[in-house]
Amino acid sequence: MLNLLWGAMILIAIVTASFQGTMAQVNIAFLDSAKEAIELCIFMLGVVGMWSGFMKVAESSGLVNMLSKKLGGIMKWMFPTIPKGHKASAYIATNIIANMFGLGWAATPSGLMAMKELDKLNGYQKEASDDMCMFLILNISSLQLIPINMIGYRSQYGSPTPSIIIIPALIATMISTVVGVLYAKWKRRT
């Protein structure tokens, strides 16, 4: 559906530009946008590569494992039906830690593995379990201590203070995460 919407908007822009005689400007805008998209992708590839590397070092050094253990109590409260020591808990903790550092892209593999393990625990039913819903809410709200991706975007587009968004992002993601988790816990009881 979204592809149709974007396709329709592009078609309307081209038709409008041809009737108004501004097709050359549309072509320039298309080419400039394509160039900008490639430059942004290359820049973000570097940012994600660097932070994914830091995440791997943190995993290898045992830091992720230590933080996972520190998250143990809250994880048990949020995911009460996951058996102790199950693989899903490790994947969820890794995903949460990556998201806390603003590494949404680096968090994706562990998030997919966590959901796969939660689906196994759910018996591959068509309806998501409460734990699967809680995990999805955690990913959507994505508590971020350091929003690396947003800092990277702001830096790429010339912001004089790209990291000024750290406090507002922390407040916004903290509120969304707390509200999301409380809502999921409330729905679990009903």
Side-chain angles (χ1 to χ4, degrees):
M1 180 64 181
L2 201 53
N3 288 340
L4 292 175
L5 180 64
W6 280 107
M9 290 188 326
I10 291 170
L11 186 62
I12 290 168
I14 291 171
V15 169
T16 304
S18 32
F19 281 121
Q20 293 181 347
T22 56
M23 197 58 183
Q25 290 153 328
V26 170
N27 286 335
I28 290 170
F30 277 149
L31 294 174
D32 286 347
S33 296
K35 177 184 168 203
E36 190 175 314
I38 295 295
E39 288 172 353
L40 180 63
C41 286
I42 291 170
F43 176 78
M44 290 310 294
L45 182 65
V47 170
V48 169
M50 180 186 70
W51 285 99
S52 294
F54 286 157
M55 196 67 185
K56 282 293 183 193
V57 169
E59 284 176 19
S60 298
S61 69
L63 181 62
V64 169
N65 198 22
M66 182 192 73
L67 291 172
S68 296
K69 287 179 182 168
K70 297 279 184 198
L71 290 173
I74 195 156
M75 290 273 294
K76 189 63 183 163
W77 178 74
M78 286 190 291
F79 304 99
T81 62
I82 297 177
K84 185 175 175 111
H86 195 274
K87 284 192 268 184
S89 295
Y91 289 131
I92 290 169
T94 302
N95 179 271
I96 290 170
I97 292 165
N99 275 323
M100 287 174 84
F101 289 115
L103 303 171
W105 297 343
T108 300
S110 58
L112 292 173
M113 294 304 293
M115 196 57 86
K116 187 186 248 184
E117 291 297 322
L118 289 172
D119 196 25
K120 276 185 201 173
L121 287 173
N122 193 32
Y124 300 106
Q125 295 179 17
K126 291 189 182 221
E127 187 174 305
S129 69
D130 289 336
D131 286 338
M132 293 169 85
C133 292
M134 176 67 81
F135 182 60
L136 185 62
I137 286 170
L138 281 175
N139 269 287
I140 291 169
S141 64
S142 187
L143 174 63
Q144 293 187 9
L145 302 177
I146 307 168
I148 297 300
N149 289 339
M150 292 311 300
I151 292 170
Y153 291 138
R154 289 175 52 84
S155 175
Q156 174 69 17
Y157 288 110
S159 172
T161 54
S163 61
I164 200 166
I165 61 161
I166 291 176
I167 298 299
L170 176 62
I171 292 167
T173 59
M174 190 178 298
I175 291 169
S176 67
T177 300
V178 168
V179 169
V181 167
L182 291 177
Y183 176 77
K185 292 299 278 184
W186 174 70
K187 287 302 281 183
R188 186 181 290 248
R189 292 184 190 164
T190 59

